[in-house]
Amino acid sequence: EAGVAQSPRYKIIEKRQSVAFWCNPISGHATLYWYQQILGQGPKLLIQFQNNGVVDDSQLPKDRFSAERLKGVDSTLKIQPAKLEDSAVYLCASSLKAGTSGWHQETQYFGPGTRLLVL
Amino acid sequence: GQNIDQPTEMTATEGAIVQINCTYQTSGFNGLFWYQQHAGEAPTFLSYNVLDGLEEKGRFSSFLSRSKGYSYLLLKELQMKDSASYLCAVLDSNYQLIWGAGTKLIIKP
């Protein structure tokens, strides 16, 4: 079974530029998550999708970040314009179906992440 | 507010046993996860506890006490490859995963 795919793996941009990340979840997983992880910290949820609907985007800086999952499969996360403090690893994860109280459905599987450096 | 506490860093010797503690205060509880994260890599699932008690999986075991808001991850027969960060995460009443900052485990020969 293929895992969660993400691209690119690394990106270096200058502040005020824009950047986009792509994620393809595990086949059959209804729930997709985007996290931001700063070195030495746990992952911070940016947005959660259930199929193509948004479940939680309360911590997404909506003035500069946007995400979509148009067909309920793969997803893109965009930052425009980028700031220095956006330098982090952006992780995509998927699970079978969140909110069902079963460990098998709730377990999140992560992609390799995209390391973003904003100069 | 919701809070998960783990030690920042621990050091142990190859072949020994180490226990990584996690205490939590969350709005509701629907299970606790442990993930392993090697430097520069993504977190990988280790264990899940929703009922009190010990879950054993090879060299790794995870314990949960819901009344105390406490869990630990026990690693036996430590190997150098176990050097990693260990993340504790709690599924709250809204099925949102609340993450701890992780414990960096350093294994010395």
Side-chain angles (χ1 to χ4, degrees), chain A residues 4 6 35 37 41-43 89-93 107-113, chain B residues 34-46 84-89 97 99:
Chain A
V4 177
Q6 286 188 250
Y35 287 95
Q37 187 175 28
Q41 298 181 18
V89 176
Y90 291 84
L91 295 166
C92 178
T107 299
Q108 296 182 24
Y109 296 90
F110 286 81
Chain B
W34 283 97
Y35 279 79
Q36 179 191 59
Q37 186 174 26
H38 285 102
E41 298 182 12
T44 55
F45 169 73
L46 283 178
S85 287
Y86 291 85
L87 297 158
C88 172
L97 206 53
W99 293 85

PDB file of all heavy atoms in Angstrom, chain A residues 4 6 35 37 41-43 89-93 107-113, chain B residues 34-46 84-89 97 99:
ATOM      1  N   VAL A   4       1.502   8.242   2.120  1.00  0.00           N
ATOM      2  CA  VAL A   4       1.143   9.615   1.786  1.00  0.00           C
ATOM      3  C   VAL A   4       2.297  10.233   0.992  1.00  0.00           C
ATOM      4  O   VAL A   4       3.452  10.168   1.429  1.00  0.00           O
ATOM      5  CB  VAL A   4       0.873  10.437   3.064  1.00  0.00           C
ATOM      6  CG1 VAL A   4       0.569  11.881   2.710  1.00  0.00           C
ATOM      7  CG2 VAL A   4      -0.263   9.812   3.867  1.00  0.00           C
ATOM      8  N   GLN A   6       4.069  13.602  -0.807  1.00  0.00           N
ATOM      9  CA  GLN A   6       4.126  15.063  -0.750  1.00  0.00           C
ATOM     10  C   GLN A   6       5.206  15.558  -1.684  1.00  0.00           C
ATOM     11  O   GLN A   6       6.226  14.897  -1.889  1.00  0.00           O
ATOM     12  CB  GLN A   6       4.474  15.550   0.669  1.00  0.00           C
ATOM     13  CG  GLN A   6       3.364  15.430   1.678  1.00  0.00           C
ATOM     14  CD  GLN A   6       3.725  16.112   2.986  1.00  0.00           C
ATOM     15  OE1 GLN A   6       3.953  15.457   3.996  1.00  0.00           O
ATOM     16  NE2 GLN A   6       3.759  17.438   2.967  1.00  0.00           N
ATOM     17  N   TYR A  35      -0.303  19.997   8.609  1.00  0.00           N
ATOM     18  CA  TYR A  35       0.308  20.455   9.848  1.00  0.00           C
ATOM     19  C   TYR A  35       1.524  21.331   9.534  1.00  0.00           C
ATOM     20  O   TYR A  35       2.196  21.140   8.521  1.00  0.00           O
ATOM     21  CB  TYR A  35       0.823  19.274  10.680  1.00  0.00           C
ATOM     22  CG  TYR A  35      -0.222  18.425  11.351  1.00  0.00           C
ATOM     23  CD1 TYR A  35      -0.702  17.265  10.747  1.00  0.00           C
ATOM     24  CD2 TYR A  35      -0.707  18.766  12.604  1.00  0.00           C
ATOM     25  CE1 TYR A  35      -1.642  16.461  11.376  1.00  0.00           C
ATOM     26  CE2 TYR A  35      -1.647  17.961  13.253  1.00  0.00           C
ATOM     27  CZ  TYR A  35      -2.103  16.814  12.624  1.00  0.00           C
ATOM     28  OH  TYR A  35      -3.033  16.016  13.271  1.00  0.00           O
ATOM     29  N   GLN A  37       5.147  22.136  11.430  1.00  0.00           N
ATOM     30  CA  GLN A  37       5.982  21.713  12.554  1.00  0.00           C
ATOM     31  C   GLN A  37       7.267  22.531  12.565  1.00  0.00           C
ATOM     32  O   GLN A  37       8.065  22.472  11.632  1.00  0.00           O
ATOM     33  CB  GLN A  37       6.301  20.220  12.502  1.00  0.00           C
ATOM     34  CG  GLN A  37       7.019  19.736  13.762  1.00  0.00           C
ATOM     35  CD  GLN A  37       7.249  18.233  13.788  1.00  0.00           C
ATOM     36  OE1 GLN A  37       7.371  17.603  12.749  1.00  0.00           O
ATOM     37  NE2 GLN A  37       7.307  17.655  14.996  1.00  0.00           N
ATOM     38  N   GLN A  41       9.196  21.334  18.251  1.00  0.00           N
ATOM     39  CA  GLN A  41       7.803  21.424  18.682  1.00  0.00           C
ATOM     40  C   GLN A  41       6.989  20.288  18.068  1.00  0.00           C
ATOM     41  O   GLN A  41       7.403  19.655  17.093  1.00  0.00           O
ATOM     42  CB  GLN A  41       7.201  22.769  18.259  1.00  0.00           C
ATOM     43  CG  GLN A  41       7.887  23.968  18.887  1.00  0.00           C
ATOM     44  CD  GLN A  41       7.248  25.281  18.475  1.00  0.00           C
ATOM     45  OE1 GLN A  41       6.108  25.317  17.996  1.00  0.00           O
ATOM     46  NE2 GLN A  41       7.963  26.372  18.677  1.00  0.00           N
ATOM     47  N   GLY A  42       5.805  20.064  18.655  1.00  0.00           N
ATOM     48  CA  GLY A  42       4.904  19.103  18.062  1.00  0.00           C
ATOM     49  C   GLY A  42       4.209  19.696  16.850  1.00  0.00           C
ATOM     50  O   GLY A  42       4.252  20.909  16.624  1.00  0.00           O
ATOM     51  N   PRO A  43       3.575  18.858  16.030  1.00  0.00           N
ATOM     52  CA  PRO A  43       2.850  19.371  14.862  1.00  0.00           C
ATOM     53  C   PRO A  43       1.685  20.264  15.280  1.00  0.00           C
ATOM     54  O   PRO A  43       1.000  19.988  16.261  1.00  0.00           O
ATOM     55  CB  PRO A  43       2.342  18.099  14.180  1.00  0.00           C
ATOM     56  CG  PRO A  43       3.183  16.988  14.709  1.00  0.00           C
ATOM     57  CD  PRO A  43       3.524  17.389  16.107  1.00  0.00           C
ATOM     58  N   VAL A  89       8.562  22.774   8.721  1.00  0.00           N
ATOM     59  CA  VAL A  89       8.233  21.589   7.922  1.00  0.00           C
ATOM     60  C   VAL A  89       6.708  21.513   7.828  1.00  0.00           C
ATOM     61  O   VAL A  89       6.009  21.647   8.838  1.00  0.00           O
ATOM     62  CB  VAL A  89       8.787  20.302   8.562  1.00  0.00           C
ATOM     63  CG1 VAL A  89       8.348  19.080   7.761  1.00  0.00           C
ATOM     64  CG2 VAL A  89      10.309  20.365   8.645  1.00  0.00           C
ATOM     65  N   TYR A  90       6.209  21.330   6.623  1.00  0.00           N
ATOM     66  CA  TYR A  90       4.767  21.204   6.406  1.00  0.00           C
ATOM     67  C   TYR A  90       4.456  19.734   6.142  1.00  0.00           C
ATOM     68  O   TYR A  90       4.910  19.152   5.163  1.00  0.00           O
ATOM     69  CB  TYR A  90       4.317  22.126   5.283  1.00  0.00           C
ATOM     70  CG  TYR A  90       4.419  23.552   5.725  1.00  0.00           C
ATOM     71  CD1 TYR A  90       5.630  24.236   5.639  1.00  0.00           C
ATOM     72  CD2 TYR A  90       3.343  24.200   6.323  1.00  0.00           C
ATOM     73  CE1 TYR A  90       5.759  25.538   6.119  1.00  0.00           C
ATOM     74  CE2 TYR A  90       3.458  25.499   6.801  1.00  0.00           C
ATOM     75  CZ  TYR A  90       4.670  26.157   6.698  1.00  0.00           C
ATOM     76  OH  TYR A  90       4.796  27.436   7.188  1.00  0.00           O
ATOM     77  N   LEU A  91       3.702  19.169   7.063  1.00  0.00           N
ATOM     78  CA  LEU A  91       3.379  17.751   7.017  1.00  0.00           C
ATOM     79  C   LEU A  91       1.937  17.556   6.571  1.00  0.00           C
ATOM     80  O   LEU A  91       1.032  18.252   7.035  1.00  0.00           O
ATOM     81  CB  LEU A  91       3.540  17.127   8.410  1.00  0.00           C
ATOM     82  CG  LEU A  91       4.947  17.093   9.000  1.00  0.00           C
ATOM     83  CD1 LEU A  91       4.890  16.783  10.483  1.00  0.00           C
ATOM     84  CD2 LEU A  91       5.800  16.064   8.283  1.00  0.00           C
ATOM     85  N   CYS A  92       1.751  16.583   5.716  1.00  0.00           N
ATOM     86  CA  CYS A  92       0.420  16.165   5.323  1.00  0.00           C
ATOM     87  C   CYS A  92       0.188  14.786   5.928  1.00  0.00           C
ATOM     88  O   CYS A  92       1.100  13.949   5.965  1.00  0.00           O
ATOM     89  CB  CYS A  92       0.295  16.112   3.814  1.00  0.00           C
ATOM     90  SG  CYS A  92      -1.319  15.553   3.222  1.00  0.00           S
ATOM     91  N   ALA A  93      -1.005  14.558   6.442  1.00  0.00           N
ATOM     92  CA  ALA A  93      -1.348  13.253   7.007  1.00  0.00           C
ATOM     93  C   ALA A  93      -2.749  12.875   6.548  1.00  0.00           C
ATOM     94  O   ALA A  93      -3.537  13.736   6.160  1.00  0.00           O
ATOM     95  CB  ALA A  93      -1.289  13.288   8.534  1.00  0.00           C
ATOM     96  N   THR A 107      -6.196   6.716  13.334  1.00  0.00           N
ATOM     97  CA  THR A 107      -4.734   6.780  13.236  1.00  0.00           C
ATOM     98  C   THR A 107      -4.323   7.568  12.006  1.00  0.00           C
ATOM     99  O   THR A 107      -4.775   7.293  10.896  1.00  0.00           O
ATOM    100  CB  THR A 107      -4.127   5.373  13.185  1.00  0.00           C
ATOM    101  OG1 THR A 107      -4.474   4.681  14.382  1.00  0.00           O
ATOM    102  CG2 THR A 107      -2.612   5.439  13.061  1.00  0.00           C
ATOM    103  N   GLN A 108      -3.458   8.549  12.227  1.00  0.00           N
ATOM    104  CA  GLN A 108      -2.990   9.395  11.136  1.00  0.00           C
ATOM    105  C   GLN A 108      -1.655   8.877  10.614  1.00  0.00           C
ATOM    106  O   GLN A 108      -0.762   8.536  11.384  1.00  0.00           O
ATOM    107  CB  GLN A 108      -2.842  10.832  11.623  1.00  0.00           C
ATOM    108  CG  GLN A 108      -4.162  11.455  12.054  1.00  0.00           C
ATOM    109  CD  GLN A 108      -4.027  12.887  12.485  1.00  0.00           C
ATOM    110  OE1 GLN A 108      -3.095  13.591  12.098  1.00  0.00           O
ATOM    111  NE2 GLN A 108      -4.976  13.362  13.288  1.00  0.00           N
ATOM    112  N   TYR A 109      -1.544   8.860   9.301  1.00  0.00           N
ATOM    113  CA  TYR A 109      -0.313   8.441   8.640  1.00  0.00           C
ATOM    114  C   TYR A 109       0.249   9.647   7.904  1.00  0.00           C
ATOM    115  O   TYR A 109      -0.478  10.331   7.177  1.00  0.00           O
ATOM    116  CB  TYR A 109      -0.597   7.280   7.684  1.00  0.00           C
ATOM    117  CG  TYR A 109      -1.080   6.050   8.426  1.00  0.00           C
ATOM    118  CD1 TYR A 109      -2.449   5.848   8.649  1.00  0.00           C
ATOM    119  CD2 TYR A 109      -0.181   5.128   8.947  1.00  0.00           C
ATOM    120  CE1 TYR A 109      -2.898   4.741   9.366  1.00  0.00           C
ATOM    121  CE2 TYR A 109      -0.623   4.026   9.660  1.00  0.00           C
ATOM    122  CZ  TYR A 109      -1.983   3.846   9.867  1.00  0.00           C
ATOM    123  OH  TYR A 109      -2.423   2.760  10.593  1.00  0.00           O
ATOM    124  N   PHE A 110       1.528   9.878   8.092  1.00  0.00           N
ATOM    125  CA  PHE A 110       2.153  11.103   7.615  1.00  0.00           C
ATOM    126  C   PHE A 110       2.978  10.882   6.347  1.00  0.00           C
ATOM    127  O   PHE A 110       3.576   9.826   6.150  1.00  0.00           O
ATOM    128  CB  PHE A 110       3.088  11.669   8.685  1.00  0.00           C
ATOM    129  CG  PHE A 110       2.358  12.300   9.834  1.00  0.00           C
ATOM    130  CD1 PHE A 110       1.831  11.528  10.850  1.00  0.00           C
ATOM    131  CD2 PHE A 110       2.181  13.679   9.881  1.00  0.00           C
ATOM    132  CE1 PHE A 110       1.145  12.110  11.915  1.00  0.00           C
ATOM    133  CE2 PHE A 110       1.509  14.263  10.930  1.00  0.00           C
ATOM    134  CZ  PHE A 110       0.987  13.482  11.939  1.00  0.00           C
ATOM    135  N   GLY A 111       3.004  11.924   5.529  1.00  0.00           N
ATOM    136  CA  GLY A 111       3.927  11.966   4.409  1.00  0.00           C
ATOM    137  C   GLY A 111       5.284  12.440   4.879  1.00  0.00           C
ATOM    138  O   GLY A 111       5.461  12.795   6.046  1.00  0.00           O
ATOM    139  N   PRO A 112       6.281  12.475   3.971  1.00  0.00           N
ATOM    140  CA  PRO A 112       7.657  12.836   4.347  1.00  0.00           C
ATOM    141  C   PRO A 112       7.833  14.306   4.696  1.00  0.00           C
ATOM    142  O   PRO A 112       8.833  14.679   5.298  1.00  0.00           O
ATOM    143  CB  PRO A 112       8.475  12.470   3.113  1.00  0.00           C
ATOM    144  CG  PRO A 112       7.502  12.534   1.991  1.00  0.00           C
ATOM    145  CD  PRO A 112       6.187  12.124   2.548  1.00  0.00           C
ATOM    146  N   GLY A 113       6.852  15.154   4.337  1.00  0.00           N
ATOM    147  CA  GLY A 113       6.937  16.567   4.678  1.00  0.00           C
ATOM    148  C   GLY A 113       7.663  17.400   3.639  1.00  0.00           C
ATOM    149  O   GLY A 113       8.427  16.883   2.813  1.00  0.00           O
TER     150      GLY A 113
ATOM    151  N   TRP B  34       0.934   7.411  20.641  1.00  0.00           N
ATOM    152  CA  TRP B  34       2.364   7.667  20.676  1.00  0.00           C
ATOM    153  C   TRP B  34       2.899   7.531  19.255  1.00  0.00           C
ATOM    154  O   TRP B  34       2.577   6.559  18.548  1.00  0.00           O
ATOM    155  CB  TRP B  34       3.083   6.690  21.588  1.00  0.00           C
ATOM    156  CG  TRP B  34       2.933   6.989  23.052  1.00  0.00           C
ATOM    157  CD1 TRP B  34       2.038   6.439  23.925  1.00  0.00           C
ATOM    158  CD2 TRP B  34       3.725   7.902  23.828  1.00  0.00           C
ATOM    159  NE1 TRP B  34       2.210   6.957  25.186  1.00  0.00           N
ATOM    160  CE2 TRP B  34       3.239   7.859  25.161  1.00  0.00           C
ATOM    161  CE3 TRP B  34       4.796   8.754  23.532  1.00  0.00           C
ATOM    162  CZ2 TRP B  34       3.790   8.631  26.187  1.00  0.00           C
ATOM    163  CZ3 TRP B  34       5.337   9.512  24.553  1.00  0.00           C
ATOM    164  CH2 TRP B  34       4.842   9.450  25.860  1.00  0.00           C
ATOM    165  N   TYR B  35       3.708   8.509  18.862  1.00  0.00           N
ATOM    166  CA  TYR B  35       4.365   8.497  17.563  1.00  0.00           C
ATOM    167  C   TYR B  35       5.874   8.619  17.778  1.00  0.00           C
ATOM    168  O   TYR B  35       6.333   9.264  18.724  1.00  0.00           O
ATOM    169  CB  TYR B  35       3.895   9.669  16.692  1.00  0.00           C
ATOM    170  CG  TYR B  35       2.581   9.452  15.983  1.00  0.00           C
ATOM    171  CD1 TYR B  35       1.369   9.587  16.655  1.00  0.00           C
ATOM    172  CD2 TYR B  35       2.551   9.128  14.633  1.00  0.00           C
ATOM    173  CE1 TYR B  35       0.162   9.397  15.998  1.00  0.00           C
ATOM    174  CE2 TYR B  35       1.349   8.934  13.963  1.00  0.00           C
ATOM    175  CZ  TYR B  35       0.157   9.074  14.658  1.00  0.00           C
ATOM    176  OH  TYR B  35      -1.041   8.882  13.994  1.00  0.00           O
ATOM    177  N   GLN B  36       6.608   8.023  16.854  1.00  0.00           N
ATOM    178  CA  GLN B  36       8.065   8.156  16.833  1.00  0.00           C
ATOM    179  C   GLN B  36       8.447   9.043  15.655  1.00  0.00           C
ATOM    180  O   GLN B  36       7.885   8.893  14.559  1.00  0.00           O
ATOM    181  CB  GLN B  36       8.713   6.775  16.676  1.00  0.00           C
ATOM    182  CG  GLN B  36      10.239   6.780  16.622  1.00  0.00           C
ATOM    183  CD  GLN B  36      10.793   5.418  16.209  1.00  0.00           C
ATOM    184  OE1 GLN B  36      10.491   4.905  15.140  1.00  0.00           O
ATOM    185  NE2 GLN B  36      11.602   4.820  17.079  1.00  0.00           N
ATOM    186  N   GLN B  37       9.386   9.946  15.876  1.00  0.00           N
ATOM    187  CA  GLN B  37       9.832  10.817  14.785  1.00  0.00           C
ATOM    188  C   GLN B  37      11.350  10.906  14.792  1.00  0.00           C
ATOM    189  O   GLN B  37      11.943  11.532  15.669  1.00  0.00           O
ATOM    190  CB  GLN B  37       9.209  12.215  14.907  1.00  0.00           C
ATOM    191  CG  GLN B  37       9.520  13.101  13.713  1.00  0.00           C
ATOM    192  CD  GLN B  37       8.790  14.435  13.753  1.00  0.00           C
ATOM    193  OE1 GLN B  37       8.428  14.927  14.819  1.00  0.00           O
ATOM    194  NE2 GLN B  37       8.542  15.026  12.578  1.00  0.00           N
ATOM    195  N   HIS B  38      11.975  10.286  13.787  1.00  0.00           N
ATOM    196  CA  HIS B  38      13.416  10.427  13.628  1.00  0.00           C
ATOM    197  C   HIS B  38      13.718  11.802  13.036  1.00  0.00           C
ATOM    198  O   HIS B  38      12.880  12.380  12.325  1.00  0.00           O
ATOM    199  CB  HIS B  38      13.976   9.333  12.723  1.00  0.00           C
ATOM    200  CG  HIS B  38      14.068   7.997  13.388  1.00  0.00           C
ATOM    201  ND1 HIS B  38      13.162   6.982  13.179  1.00  0.00           N
ATOM    202  CD2 HIS B  38      14.963   7.516  14.290  1.00  0.00           C
ATOM    203  CE1 HIS B  38      13.496   5.935  13.913  1.00  0.00           C
ATOM    204  NE2 HIS B  38      14.578   6.228  14.604  1.00  0.00           N
ATOM    205  N   ALA B  39      14.898  12.310  13.335  1.00  0.00           N
ATOM    206  CA  ALA B  39      15.289  13.649  12.887  1.00  0.00           C
ATOM    207  C   ALA B  39      15.138  13.769  11.375  1.00  0.00           C
ATOM    208  O   ALA B  39      15.632  12.935  10.617  1.00  0.00           O
ATOM    209  CB  ALA B  39      16.723  13.936  13.309  1.00  0.00           C
ATOM    210  N   GLY B  40      14.436  14.796  10.951  1.00  0.00           N
ATOM    211  CA  GLY B  40      14.270  15.053   9.529  1.00  0.00           C
ATOM    212  C   GLY B  40      13.240  14.182   8.842  1.00  0.00           C
ATOM    213  O   GLY B  40      13.112  14.237   7.618  1.00  0.00           O
ATOM    214  N   GLU B  41      12.520  13.373   9.623  1.00  0.00           N
ATOM    215  CA  GLU B  41      11.520  12.499   9.028  1.00  0.00           C
ATOM    216  C   GLU B  41      10.133  12.796   9.599  1.00  0.00           C
ATOM    217  O   GLU B  41       9.980  13.578  10.532  1.00  0.00           O
ATOM    218  CB  GLU B  41      11.896  11.036   9.269  1.00  0.00           C
ATOM    219  CG  GLU B  41      13.226  10.639   8.637  1.00  0.00           C
ATOM    220  CD  GLU B  41      13.552   9.174   8.850  1.00  0.00           C
ATOM    221  OE1 GLU B  41      12.679   8.408   9.276  1.00  0.00           O
ATOM    222  OE2 GLU B  41      14.711   8.805   8.560  1.00  0.00           O
ATOM    223  N   ALA B  42       9.133  12.153   9.025  1.00  0.00           N
ATOM    224  CA  ALA B  42       7.758  12.344   9.486  1.00  0.00           C
ATOM    225  C   ALA B  42       7.469  11.437  10.686  1.00  0.00           C
ATOM    226  O   ALA B  42       8.119  10.402  10.867  1.00  0.00           O
ATOM    227  CB  ALA B  42       6.792  12.026   8.350  1.00  0.00           C
ATOM    228  N   PRO B  43       6.501  11.816  11.508  1.00  0.00           N
ATOM    229  CA  PRO B  43       6.098  10.932  12.618  1.00  0.00           C
ATOM    230  C   PRO B  43       5.525   9.620  12.088  1.00  0.00           C
ATOM    231  O   PRO B  43       4.818   9.601  11.075  1.00  0.00           O
ATOM    232  CB  PRO B  43       5.016  11.745  13.330  1.00  0.00           C
ATOM    233  CG  PRO B  43       5.216  13.157  12.895  1.00  0.00           C
ATOM    234  CD  PRO B  43       5.745  13.079  11.507  1.00  0.00           C
ATOM    235  N   THR B  44       5.811   8.533  12.815  1.00  0.00           N
ATOM    236  CA  THR B  44       5.222   7.236  12.473  1.00  0.00           C
ATOM    237  C   THR B  44       4.498   6.686  13.695  1.00  0.00           C
ATOM    238  O   THR B  44       4.967   6.830  14.828  1.00  0.00           O
ATOM    239  CB  THR B  44       6.274   6.223  11.996  1.00  0.00           C
ATOM    240  OG1 THR B  44       7.293   6.117  12.997  1.00  0.00           O
ATOM    241  CG2 THR B  44       6.905   6.640  10.688  1.00  0.00           C
ATOM    242  N   PHE B  45       3.365   6.063  13.471  1.00  0.00           N
ATOM    243  CA  PHE B  45       2.503   5.559  14.525  1.00  0.00           C
ATOM    244  C   PHE B  45       3.172   4.435  15.303  1.00  0.00           C
ATOM    245  O   PHE B  45       3.743   3.509  14.718  1.00  0.00           O
ATOM    246  CB  PHE B  45       1.204   5.059  13.883  1.00  0.00           C
ATOM    247  CG  PHE B  45       0.316   4.267  14.797  1.00  0.00           C
ATOM    248  CD1 PHE B  45      -0.396   4.887  15.802  1.00  0.00           C
ATOM    249  CD2 PHE B  45       0.201   2.890  14.643  1.00  0.00           C
ATOM    250  CE1 PHE B  45      -1.218   4.152  16.639  1.00  0.00           C
ATOM    251  CE2 PHE B  45      -0.620   2.146  15.473  1.00  0.00           C
ATOM    252  CZ  PHE B  45      -1.333   2.782  16.479  1.00  0.00           C
ATOM    253  N   LEU B  46       3.108   4.532  16.636  1.00  0.00           N
ATOM    254  CA  LEU B  46       3.636   3.468  17.488  1.00  0.00           C
ATOM    255  C   LEU B  46       2.526   2.719  18.221  1.00  0.00           C
ATOM    256  O   LEU B  46       2.488   1.498  18.218  1.00  0.00           O
ATOM    257  CB  LEU B  46       4.583   4.048  18.555  1.00  0.00           C
ATOM    258  CG  LEU B  46       5.985   4.452  18.140  1.00  0.00           C
ATOM    259  CD1 LEU B  46       6.728   5.029  19.330  1.00  0.00           C
ATOM    260  CD2 LEU B  46       6.739   3.268  17.551  1.00  0.00           C
ATOM    261  N   ALA B  84      15.416   9.126  18.760  1.00  0.00           N
ATOM    262  CA  ALA B  84      14.362   9.811  18.006  1.00  0.00           C
ATOM    263  C   ALA B  84      13.585  10.677  18.990  1.00  0.00           C
ATOM    264  O   ALA B  84      13.845  10.659  20.196  1.00  0.00           O
ATOM    265  CB  ALA B  84      13.420   8.803  17.348  1.00  0.00           C
ATOM    266  N   SER B  85      12.638  11.420  18.460  1.00  0.00           N
ATOM    267  CA  SER B  85      11.675  12.121  19.323  1.00  0.00           C
ATOM    268  C   SER B  85      10.422  11.274  19.426  1.00  0.00           C
ATOM    269  O   SER B  85      10.015  10.633  18.442  1.00  0.00           O
ATOM    270  CB  SER B  85      11.334  13.489  18.751  1.00  0.00           C
ATOM    271  OG  SER B  85      12.403  14.381  18.904  1.00  0.00           O
ATOM    272  N   TYR B  86       9.820  11.280  20.616  1.00  0.00           N
ATOM    273  CA  TYR B  86       8.601  10.513  20.856  1.00  0.00           C
ATOM    274  C   TYR B  86       7.486  11.491  21.224  1.00  0.00           C
ATOM    275  O   TYR B  86       7.593  12.248  22.189  1.00  0.00           O
ATOM    276  CB  TYR B  86       8.840   9.467  21.937  1.00  0.00           C
ATOM    277  CG  TYR B  86       9.778   8.394  21.428  1.00  0.00           C
ATOM    278  CD1 TYR B  86      11.160   8.574  21.503  1.00  0.00           C
ATOM    279  CD2 TYR B  86       9.299   7.258  20.796  1.00  0.00           C
ATOM    280  CE1 TYR B  86      12.035   7.629  20.973  1.00  0.00           C
ATOM    281  CE2 TYR B  86      10.161   6.300  20.276  1.00  0.00           C
ATOM    282  CZ  TYR B  86      11.522   6.493  20.361  1.00  0.00           C
ATOM    283  OH  TYR B  86      12.386   5.559  19.833  1.00  0.00           O
ATOM    284  N   LEU B  87       6.437  11.472  20.404  1.00  0.00           N
ATOM    285  CA  LEU B  87       5.351  12.431  20.531  1.00  0.00           C
ATOM    286  C   LEU B  87       4.119  11.766  21.129  1.00  0.00           C
ATOM    287  O   LEU B  87       3.687  10.715  20.667  1.00  0.00           O
ATOM    288  CB  LEU B  87       4.980  12.993  19.158  1.00  0.00           C
ATOM    289  CG  LEU B  87       6.070  13.787  18.443  1.00  0.00           C
ATOM    290  CD1 LEU B  87       5.814  13.815  16.951  1.00  0.00           C
ATOM    291  CD2 LEU B  87       6.125  15.198  18.976  1.00  0.00           C
ATOM    292  N   CYS B  88       3.574  12.401  22.150  1.00  0.00           N
ATOM    293  CA  CYS B  88       2.325  11.971  22.776  1.00  0.00           C
ATOM    294  C   CYS B  88       1.213  12.853  22.221  1.00  0.00           C
ATOM    295  O   CYS B  88       1.395  14.082  22.094  1.00  0.00           O
ATOM    296  CB  CYS B  88       2.467  12.144  24.289  1.00  0.00           C
ATOM    297  SG  CYS B  88       0.971  11.880  25.256  1.00  0.00           S
ATOM    298  N   ALA B  89       0.075  12.265  21.866  1.00  0.00           N
ATOM    299  CA  ALA B  89      -1.034  13.047  21.311  1.00  0.00           C
ATOM    300  C   ALA B  89      -2.352  12.493  21.814  1.00  0.00           C
ATOM    301  O   ALA B  89      -2.545  11.272  21.839  1.00  0.00           O
ATOM    302  CB  ALA B  89      -0.986  13.015  19.785  1.00  0.00           C
ATOM    303  N   LEU B  97      -6.761  15.948  17.413  1.00  0.00           N
ATOM    304  CA  LEU B  97      -5.562  15.402  18.019  1.00  0.00           C
ATOM    305  C   LEU B  97      -4.733  16.546  18.581  1.00  0.00           C
ATOM    306  O   LEU B  97      -4.314  17.437  17.842  1.00  0.00           O
ATOM    307  CB  LEU B  97      -4.780  14.604  16.971  1.00  0.00           C
ATOM    308  CG  LEU B  97      -3.860  13.487  17.449  1.00  0.00           C
ATOM    309  CD1 LEU B  97      -4.592  12.506  18.345  1.00  0.00           C
ATOM    310  CD2 LEU B  97      -3.255  12.770  16.265  1.00  0.00           C
ATOM    311  N   TRP B  99      -1.341  17.637  20.299  1.00  0.00           N
ATOM    312  CA  TRP B  99       0.018  17.095  20.305  1.00  0.00           C
ATOM    313  C   TRP B  99       0.872  17.694  21.415  1.00  0.00           C
ATOM    314  O   TRP B  99       0.817  18.891  21.685  1.00  0.00           O
ATOM    315  CB  TRP B  99       0.704  17.399  18.978  1.00  0.00           C
ATOM    316  CG  TRP B  99       0.118  16.693  17.802  1.00  0.00           C
ATOM    317  CD1 TRP B  99      -0.947  17.084  17.055  1.00  0.00           C
ATOM    318  CD2 TRP B  99       0.567  15.457  17.246  1.00  0.00           C
ATOM    319  NE1 TRP B  99      -1.194  16.159  16.073  1.00  0.00           N
ATOM    320  CE2 TRP B  99      -0.280  15.156  16.155  1.00  0.00           C
ATOM    321  CE3 TRP B  99       1.602  14.564  17.561  1.00  0.00           C
ATOM    322  CZ2 TRP B  99      -0.115  14.019  15.367  1.00  0.00           C
ATOM    323  CZ3 TRP B  99       1.769  13.420  16.781  1.00  0.00           C
ATOM    324  CH2 TRP B  99       0.901  13.168  15.705  1.00  0.00           C
TER     325      TRP B  99
END
